[in-house]
Amino acid sequence: DHVKATAIVTDVGSTKRDIVQAAGMGSAARLTFVAGHPIAGAAVGGLQNARADLFRNRPWLVTPTPSAPDDAVRRVLQFAAALGSTPTVMTLADHDRVFAFVSHLPQLAVSAMMAVSGDAVGTEGLALAGRGLLDTTRLASSPSDIWRDVALVNADQIGPALDAFIAVLQSLRADLAHGERLAEVFADAARWRDELVSHSTL
């Protein structure tokens, strides 16, 4: 209703399937919707935190439906590239599954960990924490209202991600007296961390 002329419309949401479904329900014929997700931003939002280099060298995923016109997809890719990002095409289903693990799970896990630690040791205990806790919990400053919506619309993918994470924690809990499982998890984590760092543009 807010777009009065013929236009290509895109979005920046971190879940895609519900957005695409909503866009297809009420869009006028003059509008072409091509879903997108720039992988950029910070734990805090608002114009006061804006940066000119926000998208530079960051991935920008474009997740068109099969019916999206090739020209519209191309123009959204060009728009993303013009902002300095590295655009890539991905399917809707793959996007929501992958981001349940690489974005939504980390946010929930870090927020839960910070809440547990803070509730357990309070202000005085946190004053004794090293840099590890501070570095690990940057995401705990994120606003809950945004993540409530993300959890709702991607629950079918976030649920299995949480289950897998909880299973690893439970295996560590059961192996505290031996350390064999801890060694396995640490080795696996270090390998994937090296892989993550090798692809990082931060």
Side-chain angles (χ1 to χ4, degrees):
D1 292 341
H2 295 286
V3 181
K4 303 304 181 185
T6 300
I8 297 171
V9 177
T10 190
D11 75 298
V12 296
S14 69
T15 63
K16 299 270 59 95
R17 290 167 298 164
D18 282 29
I19 290 173
V20 169
Q21 182 180 9
M25 291 174 61
S27 298
R30 60 188 169 77
L31 302 181
T32 300
F33 182 76
V34 180
H37 179 198
I39 315 304
V44 291
L47 289 175
Q48 69 274 16
N49 297 301
R51 300 197 329 257
D53 64 346
L54 183 64
F55 303 111
R56 189 174 301 154
N57 297 323
R58 299 298 302 149
W60 190 309
L61 302 178
V62 177
T63 58
T65 61
S67 62
D70 290 341
D71 182 63
V73 175
R74 178 181 57 80
R75 292 178 68 182
V76 171
L77 291 169
Q78 289 174 337
F79 169 76
L83 294 176
S85 73
T86 305
T88 304
V89 176
M90 191 176 197
T91 68
L92 298 171
D94 284 347
H95 175 280
D96 286 0
R97 179 187 175 277
V98 167
F99 278 84
F101 282 92
V102 303
S103 175
H104 310 159
L105 172 63
Q107 177 64 64
L108 295 175
V110 165
S111 295
M113 182 177 67
M114 189 71 256
V116 168
S117 296
D119 289 345
V121 304
T123 302
E124 293 182 359
L126 291 179
L128 303 175
R131 292 288 308 181
L133 183 64
L134 185 65
D135 294 343
T136 304
T137 57
R138 178 183 63 84
L139 293 176
S141 298
S142 299
S144 63
D145 55 343
I146 294 174
W147 285 98
R148 186 183 302 115
D149 292 340
V150 169
L152 175 65
V153 300
N154 206 31
D156 64 324
Q157 298 295 338
I158 296 174
L162 283 171
D163 289 341
F165 183 55
I166 291 167
V168 171
L169 291 177
Q170 288 175 330
S171 71
L172 290 171
R173 176 68 179 89
D175 189 50
L176 288 176
H178 306 288
E180 294 177 3
R181 179 59 178 147
L182 184 146
E184 293 173 355
V185 171
F186 272 52
D188 202 26
R191 176 171 61 90
W192 286 119
R193 168 68 176 169
D194 289 345
E195 189 72 17
L196 175 64
V197 170
S198 73
H199 292 286
S200 177
T201 56
L202 294 176

mmCIF file of all heavy atoms in Angstrom, residues 40-82:
data_model
loop_
_atom_site.group_PDB
_atom_site.id
_atom_site.type_symbol
_atom_site.label_atom_id
_atom_site.label_comp_id
_atom_site.label_asym_id
_atom_site.label_seq_id
_atom_site.Cartn_x
_atom_site.Cartn_y
_atom_site.Cartn_z
ATOM 1 N N ALA A 40 24.756 -8.457 7.866
ATOM 2 C CA ALA A 40 25.473 -7.305 8.410
ATOM 3 C C ALA A 40 24.663 -6.760 9.580
ATOM 4 O O ALA A 40 23.501 -7.112 9.762
ATOM 5 C CB ALA A 40 25.650 -6.231 7.340
ATOM 6 N N GLY A 41 25.298 -5.914 10.350
ATOM 7 C CA GLY A 41 24.600 -5.336 11.482
ATOM 8 C C GLY A 41 25.395 -5.510 12.757
ATOM 9 O O GLY A 41 26.575 -5.857 12.733
ATOM 10 N N ALA A 42 24.730 -5.250 13.855
ATOM 11 C CA ALA A 42 25.391 -5.312 15.152
ATOM 12 C C ALA A 42 24.374 -5.730 16.200
ATOM 13 O O ALA A 42 23.185 -5.887 15.899
ATOM 14 C CB ALA A 42 26.001 -3.953 15.505
ATOM 15 N N ALA A 43 24.840 -5.895 17.421
ATOM 16 C CA ALA A 43 23.940 -6.308 18.499
ATOM 17 C C ALA A 43 22.972 -5.207 18.883
ATOM 18 O O ALA A 43 21.957 -5.463 19.523
ATOM 19 C CB ALA A 43 24.758 -6.734 19.719
ATOM 20 N N VAL A 44 23.277 -3.976 18.514
ATOM 21 C CA VAL A 44 22.396 -2.849 18.808
ATOM 22 C C VAL A 44 21.927 -2.234 17.501
ATOM 23 O O VAL A 44 22.646 -2.225 16.506
ATOM 24 C CB VAL A 44 23.100 -1.780 19.672
ATOM 25 C CG1 VAL A 44 23.340 -2.319 21.075
ATOM 26 C CG2 VAL A 44 24.422 -1.349 19.046
ATOM 27 N N GLY A 45 20.692 -1.709 17.495
ATOM 28 C CA GLY A 45 20.123 -1.143 16.285
ATOM 29 C C GLY A 45 19.877 0.343 16.413
ATOM 30 O O GLY A 45 20.318 0.997 17.362
ATOM 31 N N GLY A 46 19.132 0.889 15.449
ATOM 32 C CA GLY A 46 18.787 2.298 15.484
ATOM 33 C C GLY A 46 19.694 3.139 14.605
ATOM 34 O O GLY A 46 20.852 2.786 14.359
ATOM 35 N N LEU A 47 19.153 4.268 14.136
ATOM 36 C CA LEU A 47 19.918 5.148 13.262
ATOM 37 C C LEU A 47 21.185 5.676 13.931
ATOM 38 O O LEU A 47 22.179 5.959 13.268
ATOM 39 C CB LEU A 47 19.046 6.321 12.812
ATOM 40 C CG LEU A 47 17.934 5.978 11.808
ATOM 41 C CD1 LEU A 47 17.082 7.205 11.541
ATOM 42 C CD2 LEU A 47 18.529 5.443 10.515
ATOM 43 N N GLN A 48 21.151 5.824 15.252
ATOM 44 C CA GLN A 48 22.324 6.341 15.955
ATOM 45 C C GLN A 48 23.518 5.397 15.857
ATOM 46 O O GLN A 48 24.653 5.797 16.106
ATOM 47 C CB GLN A 48 21.994 6.621 17.430
ATOM 48 C CG GLN A 48 21.731 5.378 18.266
ATOM 49 C CD GLN A 48 20.281 4.896 18.197
ATOM 50 O OE1 GLN A 48 19.529 5.294 17.304
ATOM 51 N NE2 GLN A 48 19.891 4.052 19.138
ATOM 52 N N ASN A 49 23.276 4.136 15.482
ATOM 53 C CA ASN A 49 24.357 3.167 15.337
ATOM 54 C C ASN A 49 24.688 2.863 13.879
ATOM 55 O O ASN A 49 25.397 1.900 13.581
ATOM 56 C CB ASN A 49 23.980 1.865 16.062
ATOM 57 C CG ASN A 49 23.803 2.077 17.550
ATOM 58 O OD1 ASN A 49 24.718 2.511 18.233
ATOM 59 N ND2 ASN A 49 22.617 1.776 18.062
ATOM 60 N N ALA A 50 24.182 3.690 12.956
ATOM 61 C CA ALA A 50 24.414 3.471 11.528
ATOM 62 C C ALA A 50 25.885 3.667 11.171
ATOM 63 O O ALA A 50 26.583 4.470 11.787
ATOM 64 C CB ALA A 50 23.548 4.424 10.716
ATOM 65 N N ARG A 51 26.343 2.897 10.158
ATOM 66 C CA ARG A 51 27.721 3.011 9.677
ATOM 67 C C ARG A 51 27.714 2.984 8.154
ATOM 68 O O ARG A 51 26.974 2.205 7.545
ATOM 69 C CB ARG A 51 28.583 1.841 10.164
ATOM 70 C CG ARG A 51 28.699 1.690 11.650
ATOM 71 C CD ARG A 51 29.884 0.772 12.015
ATOM 72 N NE ARG A 51 30.178 -0.247 11.040
ATOM 73 C CZ ARG A 51 29.842 -1.541 11.165
ATOM 74 N NH1 ARG A 51 29.141 -1.948 12.209
ATOM 75 N NH2 ARG A 51 30.211 -2.407 10.252
ATOM 76 N N ALA A 52 28.555 3.805 7.559
ATOM 77 C CA ALA A 52 28.619 3.859 6.096
ATOM 78 C C ALA A 52 29.163 2.568 5.499
ATOM 79 O O ALA A 52 28.854 2.214 4.362
ATOM 80 C CB ALA A 52 29.478 5.044 5.660
ATOM 81 N N ASP A 53 29.969 1.836 6.264
ATOM 82 C CA ASP A 53 30.595 0.614 5.749
ATOM 83 C C ASP A 53 29.858 -0.653 6.187
ATOM 84 O O ASP A 53 30.419 -1.748 6.133
ATOM 85 C CB ASP A 53 32.050 0.537 6.215
ATOM 86 C CG ASP A 53 32.165 0.409 7.739
ATOM 87 O OD1 ASP A 53 31.159 0.635 8.446
ATOM 88 O OD2 ASP A 53 33.270 0.074 8.217
ATOM 89 N N LEU A 54 28.628 -0.523 6.596
ATOM 90 C CA LEU A 54 27.886 -1.637 7.185
ATOM 91 C C LEU A 54 27.877 -2.879 6.295
ATOM 92 O O LEU A 54 28.025 -4.003 6.780
ATOM 93 C CB LEU A 54 26.446 -1.211 7.486
ATOM 94 C CG LEU A 54 25.560 -2.244 8.179
ATOM 95 C CD1 LEU A 54 26.089 -2.562 9.568
ATOM 96 C CD2 LEU A 54 24.124 -1.738 8.269
ATOM 97 N N PHE A 55 27.702 -2.690 4.987
ATOM 98 C CA PHE A 55 27.556 -3.830 4.079
ATOM 99 C C PHE A 55 28.848 -4.197 3.355
ATOM 100 O O PHE A 55 28.875 -5.177 2.616
ATOM 101 C CB PHE A 55 26.468 -3.534 3.043
ATOM 102 C CG PHE A 55 25.133 -3.212 3.651
ATOM 103 C CD1 PHE A 55 24.605 -1.928 3.566
ATOM 104 C CD2 PHE A 55 24.411 -4.182 4.322
ATOM 105 C CE1 PHE A 55 23.373 -1.637 4.135
ATOM 106 C CE2 PHE A 55 23.180 -3.892 4.904
ATOM 107 C CZ PHE A 55 22.668 -2.616 4.805
ATOM 108 N N ARG A 56 29.909 -3.444 3.568
ATOM 109 C CA ARG A 56 31.131 -3.649 2.795
ATOM 110 C C ARG A 56 31.720 -5.029 3.045
ATOM 111 O O ARG A 56 31.991 -5.421 4.178
ATOM 112 C CB ARG A 56 32.146 -2.565 3.152
ATOM 113 C CG ARG A 56 33.394 -2.563 2.244
ATOM 114 C CD ARG A 56 34.284 -1.384 2.562
ATOM 115 N NE ARG A 56 33.548 -0.129 2.385
ATOM 116 C CZ ARG A 56 33.839 1.001 3.030
ATOM 117 N NH1 ARG A 56 34.833 1.017 3.913
ATOM 118 N NH2 ARG A 56 33.139 2.088 2.812
ATOM 119 N N ASN A 57 31.889 -5.771 1.947
ATOM 120 C CA ASN A 57 32.474 -7.117 1.973
ATOM 121 C C ASN A 57 31.678 -8.110 2.804
ATOM 122 O O ASN A 57 32.206 -9.149 3.221
ATOM 123 C CB ASN A 57 33.924 -7.062 2.491
ATOM 124 C CG ASN A 57 34.823 -6.254 1.593
ATOM 125 O OD1 ASN A 57 34.686 -6.296 0.373
ATOM 126 N ND2 ASN A 57 35.738 -5.502 2.178
ATOM 127 N N ARG A 58 30.413 -7.817 3.037
ATOM 128 C CA ARG A 58 29.559 -8.738 3.784
ATOM 129 C C ARG A 58 28.667 -9.514 2.807
ATOM 130 O O ARG A 58 28.272 -8.991 1.760
ATOM 131 C CB ARG A 58 28.668 -7.965 4.776
ATOM 132 C CG ARG A 58 29.452 -7.188 5.822
ATOM 133 C CD ARG A 58 30.295 -8.105 6.687
ATOM 134 N NE ARG A 58 29.467 -9.113 7.359
ATOM 135 C CZ ARG A 58 29.876 -10.332 7.669
ATOM 136 N NH1 ARG A 58 31.089 -10.729 7.375
ATOM 137 N NH2 ARG A 58 29.072 -11.165 8.281
ATOM 138 N N PRO A 59 28.319 -10.762 3.126
ATOM 139 C CA PRO A 59 27.396 -11.501 2.260
ATOM 140 C C PRO A 59 26.012 -10.851 2.242
ATOM 141 O O PRO A 59 25.570 -10.284 3.251
ATOM 142 C CB PRO A 59 27.330 -12.888 2.925
ATOM 143 C CG PRO A 59 28.513 -12.956 3.825
ATOM 144 C CD PRO A 59 28.779 -11.557 4.272
ATOM 145 N N TRP A 60 25.356 -10.925 1.128
ATOM 146 C CA TRP A 60 23.953 -10.481 1.001
ATOM 147 C C TRP A 60 23.241 -11.593 0.250
ATOM 148 O O TRP A 60 23.443 -11.793 -0.939
ATOM 149 C CB TRP A 60 23.872 -9.168 0.222
ATOM 150 C CG TRP A 60 22.525 -8.510 0.250
ATOM 151 C CD1 TRP A 60 21.316 -9.083 -0.039
ATOM 152 C CD2 TRP A 60 22.242 -7.138 0.561
ATOM 153 N NE1 TRP A 60 20.306 -8.175 0.080
ATOM 154 C CE2 TRP A 60 20.845 -6.968 0.442
ATOM 155 C CE3 TRP A 60 23.028 -6.047 0.919
ATOM 156 C CZ2 TRP A 60 20.222 -5.737 0.669
ATOM 157 C CZ3 TRP A 60 22.413 -4.830 1.134
ATOM 158 C CH2 TRP A 60 21.032 -4.677 1.019
ATOM 159 N N LEU A 61 22.430 -12.340 0.962
ATOM 160 C CA LEU A 61 21.738 -13.473 0.354
ATOM 161 C C LEU A 61 20.449 -13.015 -0.300
ATOM 162 O O LEU A 61 19.669 -12.272 0.291
ATOM 163 C CB LEU A 61 21.448 -14.532 1.414
ATOM 164 C CG LEU A 61 22.676 -15.074 2.143
ATOM 165 C CD1 LEU A 61 22.261 -16.075 3.193
ATOM 166 C CD2 LEU A 61 23.659 -15.693 1.168
ATOM 167 N N VAL A 62 20.227 -13.464 -1.514
ATOM 168 C CA VAL A 62 18.983 -13.207 -2.238
ATOM 169 C C VAL A 62 18.299 -14.553 -2.412
ATOM 170 O O VAL A 62 18.912 -15.511 -2.891
ATOM 171 C CB VAL A 62 19.257 -12.532 -3.593
ATOM 172 C CG1 VAL A 62 17.966 -12.326 -4.374
ATOM 173 C CG2 VAL A 62 19.981 -11.199 -3.389
ATOM 174 N N THR A 63 17.039 -14.639 -1.979
ATOM 175 C CA THR A 63 16.336 -15.927 -1.943
ATOM 176 C C THR A 63 15.040 -15.840 -2.743
ATOM 177 O O THR A 63 13.940 -15.838 -2.182
ATOM 178 C CB THR A 63 16.027 -16.331 -0.487
ATOM 179 O OG1 THR A 63 15.242 -15.298 0.128
ATOM 180 C CG2 THR A 63 17.311 -16.509 0.305
ATOM 181 N N PRO A 64 15.142 -15.773 -4.059
ATOM 182 C CA PRO A 64 13.941 -15.610 -4.882
ATOM 183 C C PRO A 64 13.123 -16.890 -4.974
ATOM 184 O O PRO A 64 13.659 -17.998 -4.850
ATOM 185 C CB PRO A 64 14.517 -15.239 -6.251
ATOM 186 C CG PRO A 64 15.853 -15.918 -6.278
ATOM 187 C CD PRO A 64 16.366 -15.854 -4.859
ATOM 188 N N THR A 65 11.830 -16.736 -5.172
ATOM 189 C CA THR A 65 10.982 -17.879 -5.489
ATOM 190 C C THR A 65 11.212 -18.260 -6.951
ATOM 191 O O THR A 65 11.723 -17.453 -7.731
ATOM 192 C CB THR A 65 9.503 -17.538 -5.274
ATOM 193 O OG1 THR A 65 9.152 -16.463 -6.159
ATOM 194 C CG2 THR A 65 9.237 -17.124 -3.833
ATOM 195 N N PRO A 66 10.840 -19.489 -7.337
ATOM 196 C CA PRO A 66 11.030 -19.885 -8.750
ATOM 197 C C PRO A 66 10.313 -18.974 -9.737
ATOM 198 O O PRO A 66 10.724 -18.868 -10.899
ATOM 199 C CB PRO A 66 10.454 -21.306 -8.778
ATOM 200 C CG PRO A 66 10.631 -21.805 -7.378
ATOM 201 C CD PRO A 66 10.390 -20.609 -6.504
ATOM 202 N N SER A 67 9.246 -18.309 -9.275
ATOM 203 C CA SER A 67 8.475 -17.456 -10.186
ATOM 204 C C SER A 67 9.025 -16.037 -10.314
ATOM 205 O O SER A 67 8.541 -15.248 -11.117
ATOM 206 C CB SER A 67 7.016 -17.385 -9.724
ATOM 207 O OG SER A 67 6.928 -16.807 -8.425
ATOM 208 N N ALA A 68 10.035 -15.698 -9.521
ATOM 209 C CA ALA A 68 10.595 -14.346 -9.568
ATOM 210 C C ALA A 68 11.273 -14.113 -10.914
ATOM 211 O O ALA A 68 12.079 -14.939 -11.354
ATOM 212 C CB ALA A 68 11.594 -14.146 -8.433
ATOM 213 N N PRO A 69 10.976 -13.014 -11.588
ATOM 214 C CA PRO A 69 11.591 -12.736 -12.897
ATOM 215 C C PRO A 69 13.108 -12.600 -12.786
ATOM 216 O O PRO A 69 13.619 -12.007 -11.832
ATOM 217 C CB PRO A 69 10.952 -11.400 -13.313
ATOM 218 C CG PRO A 69 9.695 -11.299 -12.508
ATOM 219 C CD PRO A 69 9.993 -11.989 -11.209
ATOM 220 N N ASP A 70 13.815 -13.157 -13.749
ATOM 221 C CA ASP A 70 15.272 -13.107 -13.727
ATOM 222 C C ASP A 70 15.788 -11.678 -13.670
ATOM 223 O O ASP A 70 16.781 -11.396 -12.983
ATOM 224 C CB ASP A 70 15.839 -13.814 -14.964
ATOM 225 C CG ASP A 70 15.636 -15.320 -14.922
ATOM 226 O OD1 ASP A 70 15.391 -15.857 -13.817
ATOM 227 O OD2 ASP A 70 15.738 -15.960 -15.984
ATOM 228 N N ASP A 71 15.125 -10.768 -14.385
ATOM 229 C CA ASP A 71 15.587 -9.384 -14.411
ATOM 230 C C ASP A 71 15.464 -8.744 -13.029
ATOM 231 O O ASP A 71 16.342 -7.979 -12.615
ATOM 232 C CB ASP A 71 14.788 -8.567 -15.431
ATOM 233 C CG ASP A 71 15.278 -7.128 -15.505
ATOM 234 O OD1 ASP A 71 16.442 -6.918 -15.891
ATOM 235 O OD2 ASP A 71 14.497 -6.214 -15.155
ATOM 236 N N ALA A 72 14.389 -9.069 -12.314
ATOM 237 C CA ALA A 72 14.199 -8.507 -10.974
ATOM 238 C C ALA A 72 15.272 -9.029 -10.018
ATOM 239 O O ALA A 72 15.825 -8.279 -9.215
ATOM 240 C CB ALA A 72 12.812 -8.837 -10.450
ATOM 241 N N VAL A 73 15.569 -10.327 -10.112
ATOM 242 C CA VAL A 73 16.617 -10.913 -9.267
ATOM 243 C C VAL A 73 17.956 -10.259 -9.578
ATOM 244 O O VAL A 73 18.717 -9.893 -8.663
ATOM 245 C CB VAL A 73 16.697 -12.440 -9.477
ATOM 246 C CG1 VAL A 73 17.872 -13.031 -8.700
ATOM 247 C CG2 VAL A 73 15.384 -13.096 -9.056
ATOM 248 N N ARG A 74 18.250 -10.082 -10.856
ATOM 249 C CA ARG A 74 19.509 -9.466 -11.264
ATOM 250 C C ARG A 74 19.631 -8.049 -10.703
ATOM 251 O O ARG A 74 20.698 -7.646 -10.219
ATOM 252 C CB ARG A 74 19.602 -9.438 -12.792
ATOM 253 C CG ARG A 74 20.873 -8.774 -13.329
ATOM 254 C CD ARG A 74 20.876 -8.758 -14.848
ATOM 255 N NE ARG A 74 19.705 -8.092 -15.387
ATOM 256 C CZ ARG A 74 19.555 -6.766 -15.476
ATOM 257 N NH1 ARG A 74 20.541 -5.973 -15.041
ATOM 258 N NH2 ARG A 74 18.460 -6.237 -15.966
ATOM 259 N N ARG A 75 18.554 -7.291 -10.736
ATOM 260 C CA ARG A 75 18.602 -5.911 -10.252
ATOM 261 C C ARG A 75 18.790 -5.842 -8.734
ATOM 262 O O ARG A 75 19.489 -4.951 -8.231
ATOM 263 C CB ARG A 75 17.342 -5.159 -10.698
ATOM 264 C CG ARG A 75 17.302 -4.945 -12.199
ATOM 265 C CD ARG A 75 16.042 -4.254 -12.656
ATOM 266 N NE ARG A 75 15.997 -2.868 -12.187
ATOM 267 C CZ ARG A 75 14.967 -2.056 -12.419
ATOM 268 N NH1 ARG A 75 13.909 -2.492 -13.097
ATOM 269 N NH2 ARG A 75 14.991 -0.809 -11.974
ATOM 270 N N VAL A 76 18.189 -6.782 -8.007
ATOM 271 C CA VAL A 76 18.411 -6.814 -6.556
ATOM 272 C C VAL A 76 19.863 -7.188 -6.253
ATOM 273 O O VAL A 76 20.493 -6.599 -5.354
ATOM 274 C CB VAL A 76 17.439 -7.799 -5.872
ATOM 275 C CG1 VAL A 76 17.803 -7.997 -4.402
ATOM 276 C CG2 VAL A 76 16.004 -7.292 -5.986
ATOM 277 N N LEU A 77 20.420 -8.124 -7.024
ATOM 278 C CA LEU A 77 21.824 -8.480 -6.850
ATOM 279 C C LEU A 77 22.734 -7.282 -7.138
ATOM 280 O O LEU A 77 23.710 -7.031 -6.421
ATOM 281 C CB LEU A 77 22.191 -9.650 -7.769
ATOM 282 C CG LEU A 77 21.574 -11.013 -7.420
ATOM 283 C CD1 LEU A 77 21.792 -12.011 -8.553
ATOM 284 C CD2 LEU A 77 22.162 -11.557 -6.122
ATOM 285 N N GLN A 78 22.397 -6.523 -8.173
ATOM 286 C CA GLN A 78 23.183 -5.331 -8.510
ATOM 287 C C GLN A 78 23.065 -4.272 -7.412
ATOM 288 O O GLN A 78 24.050 -3.608 -7.064
ATOM 289 C CB GLN A 78 22.716 -4.753 -9.853
ATOM 290 C CG GLN A 78 23.091 -5.607 -11.053
ATOM 291 C CD GLN A 78 22.497 -5.080 -12.347
ATOM 292 O OE1 GLN A 78 21.492 -4.354 -12.344
ATOM 293 N NE2 GLN A 78 23.105 -5.442 -13.465
ATOM 294 N N PHE A 79 21.867 -4.119 -6.870
ATOM 295 C CA PHE A 79 21.651 -3.162 -5.784
ATOM 296 C C PHE A 79 22.503 -3.527 -4.571
ATOM 297 O O PHE A 79 23.178 -2.670 -3.982
ATOM 298 C CB PHE A 79 20.164 -3.156 -5.414
ATOM 299 C CG PHE A 79 19.852 -2.402 -4.145
ATOM 300 C CD1 PHE A 79 19.839 -1.018 -4.122
ATOM 301 C CD2 PHE A 79 19.558 -3.088 -2.978
ATOM 302 C CE1 PHE A 79 19.546 -0.323 -2.959
ATOM 303 C CE2 PHE A 79 19.266 -2.402 -1.800
ATOM 304 C CZ PHE A 79 19.262 -1.012 -1.793
ATOM 305 N N ALA A 80 22.494 -4.805 -4.214
ATOM 306 C CA ALA A 80 23.283 -5.259 -3.062
ATOM 307 C C ALA A 80 24.771 -5.041 -3.304
ATOM 308 O O ALA A 80 25.499 -4.590 -2.420
ATOM 309 C CB ALA A 80 22.986 -6.730 -2.787
ATOM 310 N N ALA A 81 25.233 -5.359 -4.507
ATOM 311 C CA ALA A 81 26.645 -5.185 -4.830
ATOM 312 C C ALA A 81 27.040 -3.712 -4.798
ATOM 313 O O ALA A 81 28.161 -3.366 -4.386
ATOM 314 C CB ALA A 81 26.951 -5.785 -6.198
ATOM 315 N N ALA A 82 26.134 -2.827 -5.200
ATOM 316 C CA ALA A 82 26.425 -1.390 -5.221
ATOM 317 C C ALA A 82 26.641 -0.837 -3.815
ATOM 318 O O ALA A 82 27.299 0.193 -3.640
ATOM 319 C CB ALA A 82 25.299 -0.635 -5.919
#
